[in-house]
Amino acid sequence: MGGLHRANRQDAPAPLRRLRPRPARGAAKGTSVELEQGMLDELLLVCTFVGTRKVNDDDESDVESFVRGEDCVAWLQDLQRALRRDDGDARAVRTTVGAWDVLRSKLLPLAEQSGNDLVATRTLCKIFVLLTMPLSEKCHQALAARPDPVKDKTRAAEALKKRQLLREAAERQARQLIEARLAFAERPKVLRGLLRMFEGARKPRERRSSNDDADVELALTLLRNLVAPLPHTSDRNERDAGSSLDALVKALSDELVLDTVADLCSASSKRENRHWGLVLVEVLAPLLAQHKPADIAQTEVLSQKKSERASTRKDVDDRLERAL
C-alpha cells in the first residue's frame, strides 16, 4: 500500500476509477478463506486512495498526521458497496480490512477530520456499522460445535473442511470486534462526532426529515454493535472483551454519548421516537447486564448524593473566592 498513496484518482486504471465491486467470493486455500485476487486488488486500491498517514519530519517528535485522499468520499462509498456485498458468514472483505488495520489507521483518523462534512460522516458511520456487525448465527454455531469422532466419520471431508474454515473465520471476526472496541475507545473525538448524528432527534416531528431519522438509526446501530456480547473463543479474548467494553463505556460516558442515549430513552414514548425502541433496548441490555439489579436501583440515589456533595463543594469554593 505504501507506493500507491502518492497517486491520485486519475492515476488509477480506467475500470477501477469508479468501482462496481463484485460480490466478495472466498476461495478456500489451506486453512483460510481468502478473497479472489481481483477483488483483493480492488479493495487494496480503495483503502489506499481514502487517505494516508504522514509523519511531520520537521517536528522532532515525529507527530503523525492524516492526509485525506482526493475524492475520498467516492472511495468510501466504493468500500461501503464492497462490504455490503460481503459474504454474510465468512465475511472475507471485513476480515481483510481488519487484517490491514484500516479502521484504526485510516477510517477513524478520517472521521476525526470529517466533523464538518456530513456526507463523509454518514458514509463513515455506515462503514463502521458494517465492520462491527455481530457474528452470524452460523458463526456462533461453528464456534459452539465440538469435534465428534463418531459423527465426523460419516461426514464428507469437504463438509468438515468447510466447518473448520467457518470456525476460523468466526474467531478472526470475534478478535477484530474486540480490536474495534479498543480503536473507538482510543478516539474520543470520533465518539464526540456521533453526537451530531443525534441532532435530528431533538427536532419537533414536523421539522424532522427522513435523513434525521436515518442518522439516529445509524448511530444507535453502531453503538449496539460495539457493546454487543462477544462469543467466548479463548480465555485471552474473554478478558480482552471485558476490558475493551469497560474502556469503550468510559469513553462514551466522558463524551456524553450515553447521556444522549438516556435522553432518547426518556423520550422514546413519543410517537415519532417509538421506532427506535428496539435498538435502544439492544444498546442498553449489554450495559445493564454487567451490573446487579440492586446496583442499578441505587444509581439514582447515588446520583442525588453526588449532586448534593457537588453543591456543597461549590458553596465552599464560592465562600473561599469571596474571602480572597
Side-chain angles (χ1 to χ4, degrees):
M1 294 176 69
L4 288 173
H5 75 267
R6 290 183 293 272
N8 56 37
R9 195 173 184 83
Q10 283 68 34
D11 294 329
L16 297 180
R17 287 179 189 158
R18 294 299 305 125
L19 297 178
R20 295 292 182 269
R22 301 183 300 274
R25 291 164 48 192
K29 296 182 179 180
T31 58
S32 65
V33 175
E34 298 177 356
L35 289 176
E36 292 178 346
Q37 188 59 46
M39 186 64 188
L40 192 64
D41 292 341
E42 292 179 0
L43 191 60
L44 177 62
L45 191 67
V46 169
C47 294
T48 297
F49 282 113
V50 163
T52 186
R53 289 179 295 177
K54 178 182 177 182
V55 177
N56 298 325
D57 298 328
D58 297 337
D59 192 340
E60 294 180 358
S61 60
D62 291 336
V63 177
E64 276 193 351
S65 61
F66 186 80
V67 180
R68 178 170 167 155
E70 185 179 351
D71 296 332
C72 78
V73 173
W75 290 109
L76 287 173
Q77 290 168 347
D78 287 332
L79 177 57
Q80 178 192 343
R81 280 190 286 270
L83 289 167
R84 287 178 61 188
R85 289 171 169 82
D86 200 7
D87 178 77
D89 297 316
R91 300 178 182 174
V93 173
R94 266 165 266 203
T95 53
T96 300
V97 171
W100 291 347
D101 202 24
V102 174
L103 177 65
R104 189 188 301 267
S105 64
K106 295 205 171 189
L107 298 180
L108 290 175
L110 180 59
E112 287 186 333
Q113 291 189 1
S114 303
N116 296 323
D117 187 340
L118 189 54
V119 175
T121 299
R122 281 176 178 153
T123 305
L124 282 163
C125 199
K126 292 174 184 177
I127 291 172
F128 293 154
V129 167
L130 291 168
L131 287 175
T132 58
M133 288 296 290
L135 275 64
S136 69
E137 185 60 33
K138 286 186 178 180
C139 281
H140 281 287
Q141 293 172 359
L143 289 173
R146 293 293 177 264
D148 187 331
V150 176
K151 292 184 178 180
D152 288 348
K153 287 181 180 179
T154 64
R155 293 191 176 101
E158 187 65 27
L160 292 176
K161 184 177 182 180
K162 184 177 180 181
R163 186 180 69 182
Q164 179 62 24
L165 289 173
L166 184 58
R167 180 181 178 85
E168 292 172 356
E171 289 174 347
R172 286 195 297 273
Q173 291 175 49
R175 185 65 211 177
Q176 288 175 1
L177 287 173
I178 294 173
E179 297 296 333
R181 277 182 182 172
L182 289 171
F184 275 94
E186 293 166 358
R187 297 276 183 174
K189 189 175 179 181
V190 175
L191 298 177
R192 197 180 314 138
L194 275 180
L195 296 177
R196 183 174 184 182
M197 302 291 286
F198 288 103
E199 289 178 354
R202 300 186 182 93
K203 296 180 181 179
R205 181 182 177 184
E206 60 275 9
R207 292 182 52 200
R208 192 180 295 178
S209 69
S210 58
N211 280 337
D212 292 328
D213 282 338
D215 288 347
V216 175
E217 189 84 22
L218 270 174
L220 287 175
T221 304
L222 176 58
L223 293 176
R224 180 206 67 183
N225 290 356
L226 289 173
V227 303
L230 297 176
H232 175 77
T233 56
S234 68
D235 291 339
R236 177 202 169 197
N237 278 357
E238 186 173 25
R239 289 192 303 270
D240 290 349
S243 60
S244 64
L245 182 58
D246 290 342
L248 178 67
V249 170
K250 182 181 184 306
L252 290 170
S253 178
D254 290 344
E255 299 305 324
L256 304 181
V257 177
L258 293 184
D259 288 347
T260 302
V261 173
D263 289 343
L264 196 55
C265 286
S266 65
S268 61
S269 60
K270 294 181 179 179
R271 182 178 177 183
E272 60 268 30
N273 298 336
R274 288 176 185 171
H275 55 289
W276 296 325
L278 177 59
V279 69
L280 281 169
V281 171
E282 290 175 325
V283 171
L284 294 177
L287 302 180
L288 296 178
Q290 300 179 90
H291 304 283
K292 297 178 182 178
D295 294 337
I296 298 172
Q298 287 294 322
T299 300
E300 185 63 30
V301 176
L302 292 173
S303 178
Q304 183 177 354
K305 289 182 178 178
K306 287 180 181 178
S307 178
E308 292 172 354
R309 287 197 297 269
S311 298
T312 303
R313 284 197 300 270
K314 186 176 185 303
D315 292 340
V316 172
D317 291 340
D318 289 344
R319 288 198 299 270
L320 178 59
E321 185 178 351
R322 287 195 297 270
L324 293 174

